[in-house]
Amino acid sequence: MLQRRPLVNALLEFQKQESISFHVPGHKQGGLSNLPSEMTAALPYDVTELTGLDDLHFPQEAIKEAQLLLAEAYGADQSFFLVNGSTVGNLAMVHATCEEGDQVIVQRNSHKSIFHALELARVRPIYVSPQWDNDSMTAVGVSYESLERAITAYPDAKAVVLTYPNYYGMASTELTNIIQLCHSREMVVLVDEAHGAHFQAGAPFPVSSLALGADAVVQSAHKTLPAMTMGSFLHLQGTRVNRKKIEKYLRMFQSSSPSYLILASLDDARSFIQSYSQPDIRTFERKRTDFINSLRTIPHLTVFESDDPLKLLLRVENYSGFQLKQKMEQTGLYAEMADPYQVLLILPLLKQRHAYPFAEARSRLKEAVRLVREEDRAIPAVQLQESIEISVPELSFEEIDLADYEWIPYTQAIGRIAVGMVIPYPPGIPLVVAGEKWTTAKMEELMNYMSSMAQIQGEHRLEDKKLSVLQQDFS
């Protein structure tokens, strides 16, 4: 039985009026749209801030009630719907917490939106490198010891920004102690929990950072819950983050014309996870186990189970994840992402009533493995160069903006200071950020991504084999 969904119900009641539109949006309830009928069917619900439908930026009715239910579901003191993705939540929590010039300790493998928030806020980042996990073959969270050293070296830091879990579902077991350490030093803890909106379902999923004591937590409801793309949550607890400032920056950074379809999907996603029952969990676990067992019968395929049961990593020995992903897509099987070593699957968070074509997926994956093994082997060797545990950019964001720069062949960039970010996407974690030096290790990683035909975003001209760096006479 569905729980209350006040915003969904408000939209349904509004449609019963059979109203005539003399308001935005211009498609006039879909009547002027040339989209296929399958798409226009949703347009009558793509409305604006009309009487009875409330206002996201000044909620008093259905949206207010829906956000109160969201806070109740997640155990937060206050929660917000986000219609511009977790990006806007990351921007808002950094700006609400920090002032220009503040020092901020940041997990180095954060999402690009965190680095954009730091740059816009004009803070002074101190980067802490994550640990490398040989089992998942990913960079996971920062260790307690590393963070403690960073706090000791930079005791005036205002906040600590962490990512939990990582894109692959690996969740730090030290987060409780890390949060307690930060609070003992009067530092605010901000967590990008984009991939953890479903953790509220409880075991066997990891515990949310909100339950572990984080002050502000951003979650992408659209990643693992049944919300539309760009639908996210922001949760606050305690008094370390100024709620009025959060509201102010959300008004500034979010669209003044929010999508009611996205908002309704967030209301529905909250209801979905709040009503996720023990029988639902048992159904999910059973179907997941059956699927994994079936995959393990495919010759040459290795399945790695993440800390988060929604995430699976697939590997074919001596072949890159990019190669496997390409062959999977030839069979009509689309994964979340690939890296040089593996492919990441995000499983559906099934309830008892749901079916999913796992058997067909297994058949297609078997064919993809057969196809990939017909190719030349192309997996790069794992690069485990020592990374600098704690680092600060060579220059501040302001200094970079004022400096002259030049475009040079990327092979000549080692030792030079980057002007902007270079970002393999997904997962959206920058190889280099503005103000950092290109190192041999970073350049080798970039070349691995380029040779694997990975998508690379950011400030570059790699199609011309060039990168932008500060001029060498800068001082």
Side-chain angles (χ1 to χ4, degrees):
M1 181 176 179
L2 288 174
Q3 295 187 344
R4 280 186 297 158
R5 298 179 298 171
L7 187 50
V8 173
N9 292 336
L11 285 167
L12 291 172
E13 287 299 314
F14 183 82
Q15 289 305 315
K16 291 179 181 179
Q17 300 178 38
E18 297 183 358
S19 62
I20 299 173
S21 171
F22 286 97
H23 55 77
V24 299
H27 58 66
K28 300 302 179 185
Q29 299 175 326
L32 304 185
S33 174
N34 289 320
L35 288 170
S37 60
E38 295 86 351
M39 298 181 185
T40 56
L43 294 186
Y45 299 92
D46 180 35
V47 290
T48 188
E49 294 91 341
L50 303 172
T51 301
L53 295 181
D54 211 353
D55 181 346
L56 178 63
H57 296 296
F58 188 67
Q60 296 295 309
E61 299 168 326
I63 295 176
K64 179 180 180 179
E65 183 183 354
Q67 291 188 147
L68 287 173
L69 288 171
L70 176 63
E72 177 186 294
Y74 281 84
D77 291 336
Q78 188 169 0
S79 296
F80 302 88
F81 287 157
L82 307 178
V83 295
N84 292 77
S86 287
T87 290
V88 77
N90 288 335
L91 291 173
M93 69 180 182
V94 169
H95 278 77
T97 304
C98 306
E99 298 179 358
E100 183 173 348
D102 282 345
Q103 293 180 336
V104 179
I105 297 173
V106 184
Q107 185 171 322
R108 180 55 185 79
N109 63 327
S110 295
H111 187 261
K112 62 179 180 177
S113 59
I114 292 291
F115 295 97
H116 289 151
L118 302 174
E119 183 173 356
L120 287 172
R122 298 293 188 182
V123 299
R124 306 282 177 172
I126 297 106
Y127 300 131
V128 183
S129 292
Q131 297 174 296
W132 177 263
D133 179 63
N134 285 319
D135 293 328
S136 66
M137 301 177 77
T138 69
V140 289
V142 297
S143 70
Y144 179 93
E145 290 77 14
S146 293
L147 196 61
E148 186 177 37
R149 282 190 281 271
I151 291 174
T152 299
Y154 298 93
D156 295 329
K158 183 76 169 289
V160 175
V161 182
L162 302 171
T163 299
Y164 169 94
N166 75 351
Y167 203 124
Y168 301 81
M170 302 302 292
S172 170
T173 59
E174 297 185 291
L175 189 58
T176 300
N177 292 335
I178 286 173
I179 292 172
Q180 291 174 352
L181 170 66
C182 296
H183 287 167
S184 72
R185 306 296 175 87
E186 302 300 322
M187 294 178 180
V188 182
V189 180
L190 311 176
V191 180
D192 179 353
E193 193 174 280
H195 286 263
H198 60 293
F199 287 1
Q200 200 61 24
F205 303 103
V207 178
S208 169
S209 60
L210 189 71
L212 298 179
D215 301 298
V217 176
V218 176
Q219 298 170 330
S220 294
H222 68 93
K223 292 189 185 300
T224 57
L225 300 183
M228 290 179 65
T229 298
M230 294 178 67
S232 293
F233 301 144
L234 170 59
H235 307 290
L236 304 178
Q237 67 179 343
T239 59
R240 293 182 181 88
V241 177
N242 188 308
R243 299 182 197 179
K244 292 299 181 184
K245 283 189 175 181
I246 287 286
E247 292 172 351
K248 167 189 171 181
Y249 285 109
L250 287 179
R251 288 193 298 269
M252 293 174 66
F253 291 133
Q254 294 210 95
S255 171
S256 59
S257 301
S259 164
Y260 271 80
L261 287 171
I262 294 176
L263 289 171
S265 77
L266 287 172
D267 193 19
D268 183 61
R270 183 272 313 157
S271 174
F272 180 94
I273 194 63
Q274 195 169 16
S275 61
Y276 204 81
S277 66
Q278 284 300 312
D280 290 331
I281 289 175
R282 288 194 291 270
T283 296
F284 166 77
E285 289 188 293
R286 175 177 55 80
K287 292 186 176 182
R288 174 185 178 273
T289 298
D290 290 346
F291 181 52
I292 291 173
N293 289 341
S294 73
L295 296 184
R296 286 186 167 142
T297 65
I298 298 176
H300 312 292
L301 180 70
T302 299
V303 180
F304 178 84
E305 299 182 51
S306 177
D307 294 336
D308 177 4
L310 274 194
K311 304 292 181 72
L312 287 182
L313 301 178
L314 306 181
R315 304 165 186 159
V316 177
E317 188 176 1
N318 296 320
Y319 292 88
S320 75
F322 299 111
Q323 289 175 291
L324 178 57
K325 178 174 177 285
Q326 181 186 53
K327 298 306 180 185
M328 288 171 62
E329 290 177 357
Q330 288 181 17
T331 72
L333 196 61
Y334 285 80
E336 171 64 14
M337 64 163 286
D339 66 25
Y341 317 110
Q342 56 207 345
V343 165
L344 170 64
L345 304 187
I346 299 182
L347 302 181
L349 187 64
L350 300 174
K351 289 192 172 186
Q352 295 179 84
R353 67 180 186 272
H354 296 139
Y356 214 75
F358 287 121
E360 177 61 24
R362 190 258 180 203
S363 176
R364 296 185 187 190
L365 186 56
K366 182 179 180 181
E367 174 64 10
V369 172
R370 185 190 69 79
L371 291 172
V372 79
R373 283 179 49 80
E374 293 178 352
E375 289 197 346
D376 293 333
R377 299 182 180 189
I379 190 169
V382 177
Q383 302 295 327
L384 295 177
Q385 290 102 337
E386 288 292 325
S387 58
I388 300 173
E389 182 184 47
I390 301 167
S391 63
V392 295
E394 299 285 330
L395 301 171
S396 69
F397 295 119
E398 299 92 329
E399 290 172 320
I400 293 169
D401 285 345
L402 295 172
D404 293 325
Y405 66 92
E406 60 184 331
W407 291 93
I408 63 171
Y410 73 91
T411 54
Q412 299 175 17
I414 295 174
R416 302 289 295 274
I417 298 173
V419 171
M421 288 191 284
V422 176
I423 313 157
Y425 196 89
I429 297 166
L431 270 178
V432 69
V433 298
E436 285 186 331
K437 278 186 177 179
W438 278 102
T439 64
T440 300
K442 290 180 186 295
M443 187 57 60
E444 288 180 357
E445 191 171 354
L446 174 63
M447 294 173 73
N448 280 340
Y449 275 109
M450 291 173 62
S451 65
S452 300
M453 304 300 291
Q455 180 181 351
I456 301 176
Q457 298 181 349
E459 292 82 11
H460 64 77
R461 293 180 185 169
L462 289 174
E463 67 278 6
D464 299 322
K465 300 183 178 181
K466 290 186 177 181
L467 293 170
S468 59
V469 296
L470 296 185
Q471 291 188 354
Q472 284 186 316
D473 61 355
F474 177 83
S475 61

